[in-house]
Amino acid sequence: MINSSETQKSELIRRYVVVGSRRFSNYWWASIILFGGFGFLLTGVSSYLNSDYLPFINSKNILFFPQGLVMCFYGILGLIFSCYLWLTLFWGVGGGFNEFNKKQGIVRIFRWGFPGKNRRIDLSYNIKDIEAIRVEIKEGLNPRRILYIRVKGSTTCFTSSQNSEGKIYSKNSVKNLSTKNTNNVGGVTQNLSLQNKRDIPLTRIGQPTTLEDIEKQGAELAKFLQVSLEMI
């Protein structure tokens, strides 16, 4: 949704391509941290070998202990963190799309995750179960601007994620599983399943977006799905 690189629109289908981790800012910081960590490591190694591997640094003025050792430590940390960032970019973590298909009557939310059983996160909901579009806006030092779809109770969903036994839940198995997941607290049964109303986020928490964009897309989706728009 927000920060999407491509939007496909028609009378019956709306698809919003989500960039995820492959944003320009992530490429920028991954490159800066990579060169910074490499520079720190080379400086520390230069102080140990008493050789100038970097032309603009005089290693004779740097003692290996403690300055050179500390620089090696920070350099290794920087390279490790940079590798992590580049791997998330390579895997496209958080990328995917949100599709609202009136023709098939489904809402599909697809995301790429880290390699493993949750590499492909693919959820589908009946479009008739969508009650509202909710926009959460919180200003301040830690602003939150998130777009949700509210799914009414007793709904089912499809998912490609596997459980601990390696089985893929079907539509019926998810519903049956949810009805068994209950707790009894103080004589009151609390249902912790898919039967409760849920707000499904369409944008990643902390994802940068403008107030105008999120309000515009919220209103556009509410009009397309013919549901109410809630502003919080």
Side-chain angles (χ1 to χ4, degrees), residues 38-195:
F38 191 67
F40 269 79
L41 183 60
L42 275 183
T43 302
V45 172
S46 297
S47 66
Y48 177 76
L49 299 177
N50 200 22
S51 300
D52 295 332
Y53 290 103
L54 295 176
F56 50 86
I57 292 179
N58 188 0
S59 61
K60 295 180 180 179
N61 297 329
I62 302 177
L63 297 176
F64 178 71
F65 187 83
Q67 291 93 339
L69 186 61
V70 171
M71 296 186 86
C72 286
F73 175 74
Y74 283 122
I76 293 174
L77 285 182
L79 291 177
I80 292 175
F81 186 57
S82 176
C83 288
Y84 167 78
L85 289 178
W86 281 110
L87 285 175
T88 59
L89 292 170
F90 175 75
W91 290 323
V93 176
F97 60 85
N98 303 319
E99 183 178 277
F100 303 86
N101 194 322
K102 284 186 175 181
K103 186 176 181 180
Q104 297 180 358
I106 62 171
V107 173
R108 186 182 177 193
I109 301 174
F110 179 85
R111 295 292 186 275
W112 289 109
F114 288 97
K117 64 179 183 180
N118 292 324
R119 173 58 175 158
R120 293 170 55 92
I121 302 173
D122 195 356
L123 304 175
S124 296
Y125 301 91
N126 193 321
I127 203 168
K128 296 180 180 179
D129 292 331
I130 307 301
E131 282 191 340
I133 301 295
R134 187 166 73 90
V135 180
E136 180 180 344
I137 300 174
K138 180 181 178 183
E139 303 295 345
L141 296 177
N142 186 24
R144 290 166 57 94
R145 296 168 184 172
I146 311 173
L147 195 63
Y148 299 88
I149 55 173
R150 173 161 293 175
V151 183
K152 63 183 178 182
S154 298
T155 186
T156 57
C157 68
F158 298 91
T159 175
S160 61
S161 301
Q162 296 179 344
N163 64 352
S164 58
E165 298 178 356
K167 298 178 180 178
I168 299 178
Y169 290 117
S170 64
K171 178 178 179 180
N172 292 330
S173 61
V174 172
K175 187 173 182 180
N176 293 335
L177 177 65
S178 66
T179 58
K180 297 179 181 179
N181 189 11
T182 59
N183 285 341
N184 191 297
V185 181
V188 179
T189 301
Q190 296 180 339
N191 195 339
L192 306 178
S193 66
L194 296 176
Q195 293 182 350

Side-chain angles (χ1 to χ4, degrees), residues 10-23:
S10 68
E11 295 181 358
L12 297 177
I13 300 174
R14 295 288 174 92
R15 171 179 283 202
Y16 301 87
V17 179
V18 180
V19 176
S21 61
R22 292 179 177 175
R23 300 194 304 270

